[in-house]
Amino acid sequence: MSEPLGLFGGTFDPVHFGHLRLAEEAIGQLGLGGVCWIPAGHPPHRGPPQVTAEQRLAMVRQATAGNPRFSIDPGEVEASAPSYTVHTLERLRGELGAGQSLVLLVGADAFAGLTTWHRWAELFALAHIAISHRPGFPVEAASLPPELASQFKTRQVSDMAQLKSAPAGRIATFAMTQLAISATQIRKLLSNGLSARYLLPDSVLDYIDLHQLYRNRL
Ligand code: ATP
């Protein structure tokens, strides 16, 4: 069986070093063949993003350029319908085949809200889930809604080889370098005319400057 493929969805408004370290460390810690980035087109869970979906996609392209283990799936940005992860996973499962191990990468905050996702319980039939630690968000069953806590307890594995021996259905956690960076913080800095340098790649900041994004808006 080929190496598991990581799938990393997010609003990436904008993409930052917290995202990049999550994807990079997931490859090493989970034994992934690579990570496919999936920028959300029309995120159903939050207010409208600050910039267009195409601009967020362009920033992810800038940030991931030059890393041969990173790829991008623009499917959600190009679709006119709302972005539901379950639909994207169904599509990718169809494209990649039933035997390919897929690992959905999520931060601890995103996982804690999983039960609000469309058809969330079906995600486990389509992919494994790997949860990264994030400052301020504990990864423990006690802090999850009961129905998610029970899935967490039943499916959790500590041996990452288990992500390779089945195509879907297991849950792993991994302790990435803790970076208390958020896109919200970056948008605030930029809208206040402050520097966001060293929180995200220079190439992304150059794109933001060129297109005058995140100015005077929160
Ligand atoms: P916002 O502040 O706008 O909510 P964000 O910084 O949380 O954005 P998203 O695009 O919403 O970024 O996150 C995509 C994924 O990356 C989510 O699963 C989230 O948990 C994870 N993530 C984002 N920032 C970090 C970080 N600093 N450390 C670990 N995981 C992170």
Side-chain angles (χ1 to χ4, degrees):
M1 192 186 267
S2 58
E3 289 173 313
L5 174 66
L7 303 175
F8 188 27
T11 312
F12 306 127
D13 184 24
V15 61
H16 55 67
F17 283 135
H19 301 131
L20 286 155
R21 281 306 302 178
L22 186 157
E24 184 73 357
E25 296 190 28
I27 289 173
Q29 292 199 42
L30 308 177
L32 307 179
V35 170
C36 177
W37 293 64
I38 311 174
H42 310 274
H45 285 113
R46 43 187 288 164
Q50 298 286 303
V51 303
T52 68
E54 288 70 23
Q55 287 171 326
R56 291 182 291 104
L57 171 63
M59 290 188 278
V60 172
R61 284 199 201 287
Q62 291 287 348
T64 57
N67 187 330
R69 296 222 184 221
F70 288 165
S71 58
I72 297 176
D73 182 309
E76 293 192 5
V77 170
E78 288 167 359
S80 49
S83 311
Y84 291 117
T85 300
V86 68
H87 294 156
T88 300
L89 291 185
E90 283 171 340
R91 173 172 58 80
L92 291 173
R93 178 56 74 199
E95 287 170 20
L96 298 168
Q100 170 67 52
S101 167
L102 298 175
V103 184
L104 185 66
L105 306 175
V106 294
D109 56 313
F111 183 74
L114 200 77
T115 57
T116 64
W117 294 21
H118 187 51
R119 292 167 49 200
W120 71 274
E122 294 173 51
L123 296 172
F124 301 109
L126 293 160
H128 304 297
I129 297 185
I131 310 161
S132 77
H133 292 247
R134 185 173 185 182
F137 299 95
V139 188
E140 57 197 18
S143 56
L144 299 173
E147 64 273 43
L148 187 57
S150 98
Q151 294 281 0
F152 183 67
K153 284 187 211 146
T154 324
R155 297 178 180 279
Q156 193 181 11
V157 295
S158 51
D159 176 8
M160 300 309 174
Q162 300 243 19
L163 301 178
K164 191 172 179 181
S165 59
R170 292 168 181 160
I171 297 178
T173 63
F174 64 107
M176 62 172 284
T177 305
Q178 295 293 274
L179 296 167
I181 303 174
S182 71
T184 303
Q185 171 201 13
I186 292 169
R187 292 194 302 272
K188 270 192 194 142
L189 287 168
L190 294 172
S191 74
N192 288 325
L194 296 171
S195 168
R197 203 168 172 203
Y198 309 127
L199 295 174
L200 68 175
D202 284 346
S203 59
V204 177
L205 266 180
D206 288 346
Y207 183 94
I208 288 171
D209 282 347
L210 184 68
H211 297 273
Q212 307 198 352
L213 306 179
Y214 306 113
R215 301 236 175 121
N216 307 314
R217 286 183 295 174
L218 286 181

